[in-house]
Amino acid sequence: MRALTVIGNWKMNGSVRSNRDWMHLVIEDMQQGMPAGRRFGVCVPFPYLQDCSAHLAGSQLLLGAQDVSAYASGAYTGEVSASMLEEMGVRFVIVGHSERRMQYGEANESIALKAEQALDHELIPIICVGETADERNSGRAVEVVRRQVASQVSTLQDRLVDCLIAYEPIWAIGTGKVASAQMAQDMHQAIRLQLAEFDDDVASHIGIIYGGSVRADNATELFAMPDIDGALVGGASLDAKEFLAICRS
Ligand code: PGA
């Protein structure tokens, strides 16, 4: 049985004060009880990790970061290493988000190295994959995602089982255009079948979560799909009540 995982991604939003209000609300509400067998997390900007770590300690909400260096340490100005994240109490880290692939030229190879660094420090990498609108409209969505996944398989091999894959169609991110639950399910199934060509055990145990305009009003339908194991939630995670409603969907 794969645990349903719901992760918020604040992106470059927040302030010490608004973060604390958000955490206060979410932690208190979660104490009322959450559906069993689920994991919850929130990926916050680097400067807030320490404060969020202190506030989330002992709660049901795990801490996440939004990126990690592909290197262990050294002369990499501006980078943050996996060991630093581990020290901050981080449990999840997003790698290869489409915003980083597109705006910062991140390539599959360095994304796999980032995932390796994360795994070396007991962090769960959330490896993002997904196609653009053009790629979908020209019938190449599966081919594009397969290539992204294949590159992770070739580096990470069976360590992939300790990662999460987030399928995030780029045209659905921050646009309000959610993929239909069936469309998402079809891609999740395609990814799982691809992984089964490599290793049945990895394919059946790895969590594949969906991201792209997830809200409380579409989460239930998505979570009901057999190959959708949770969600990576951007915009809607900024609103504590909406995030909680998705966590309970
Ligand atoms: P969104 O973002 O929920 O705002 O579409 C998802 C993501 O980028 O992870």
Side-chain angles (χ1 to χ4, degrees):
M1 219 0 220
R2 298 183 298 264
L4 193 98
T5 307
V6 181
I7 311 265
N9 172 14
W10 285 351
K11 308 194 180 186
M12 198 173 71
N13 294 292
S15 67
V16 172
R17 180 152 183 189
S18 66
N19 299 346
R20 286 185 189 170
D21 291 345
W22 186 100
M23 287 186 286
H24 183 75
L25 229 148
V26 170
I27 292 168
E28 209 167 75
D29 196 282
M30 284 188 165
Q31 281 166 351
Q32 313 302 308
M34 295 302 288
R38 295 190 177 194
R39 293 186 295 187
F40 310 104
V42 62
C43 297
V44 311
F46 290 138
Y48 299 135
L49 283 173
Q50 188 154 26
D51 195 60
C52 290
S53 183
H55 282 84
L56 296 178
S59 80
Q60 289 190 60
L61 195 59
L62 302 169
L63 185 62
Q66 299 173 12
D67 192 19
V68 64
S69 176
Y71 306 100
S73 68
Y76 301 103
T77 302
E79 291 285 276
V80 172
S81 72
S83 68
M84 294 172 187
L85 297 182
E86 185 185 20
E87 256 194 309
M88 290 295 114
V90 168
R91 303 291 306 283
F92 294 98
V93 60
I94 298 171
V95 297
H97 191 281
S98 60
E99 286 153 14
R100 298 207 60 86
R101 288 179 188 259
M102 295 194 311
Q103 295 166 36
Y104 302 94
E106 286 198 7
N108 288 323
E109 296 69 27
S110 67
I111 292 162
L113 294 179
K114 289 179 175 201
E116 270 193 321
Q117 282 295 322
L119 290 168
D120 287 347
H121 292 274
E122 316 296 328
L123 311 175
I124 300 172
I126 304 168
I127 303 168
C128 300
V129 298
E131 80 286 358
T132 63
D134 274 357
E135 288 161 347
R136 174 155 291 268
N137 295 335
S138 59
R140 289 184 295 134
V142 171
E143 173 200 324
V144 166
V145 170
R146 269 188 80 93
R147 210 178 316 122
Q148 292 169 340
V149 170
S151 143
Q152 301 307 310
V153 173
S154 74
T155 303
L156 298 167
Q157 301 284 311
D158 51 12
R159 295 185 89 189
L160 251 189
V161 76
D162 297 320
C163 304
L164 286 168
I165 290 179
Y167 168 58
E168 300 204 301
I170 293 166
W171 48 268
I173 294 178
T175 57
K177 280 191 226 157
V178 65
S180 72
Q182 190 58 52
M183 195 188 274
Q185 161 60 23
D186 289 348
M187 186 62 87
H188 284 228
Q189 187 179 40
I191 294 170
R192 215 178 288 287
L193 289 172
Q194 178 185 0
L195 294 174
E197 294 163 19
F198 162 70
D199 184 318
D200 277 330
D201 202 48
V202 170
S204 58
H205 287 101
I206 191 170
I208 307 178
I209 64 178
Y210 170 81
S213 297
V214 175
R215 295 180 309 268
D217 63 10
N218 55 35
T220 304
E221 205 190 345
L222 288 162
F223 294 169
M225 291 292 162
D227 288 300
I228 298 182
D229 304 316
L232 184 56
V233 186
S237 75
L238 296 172
D239 179 334
K241 291 211 171 87
E242 182 80 8
F243 180 67
L244 283 161
I246 296 168
C247 291
R248 290 208 167 86
S249 290

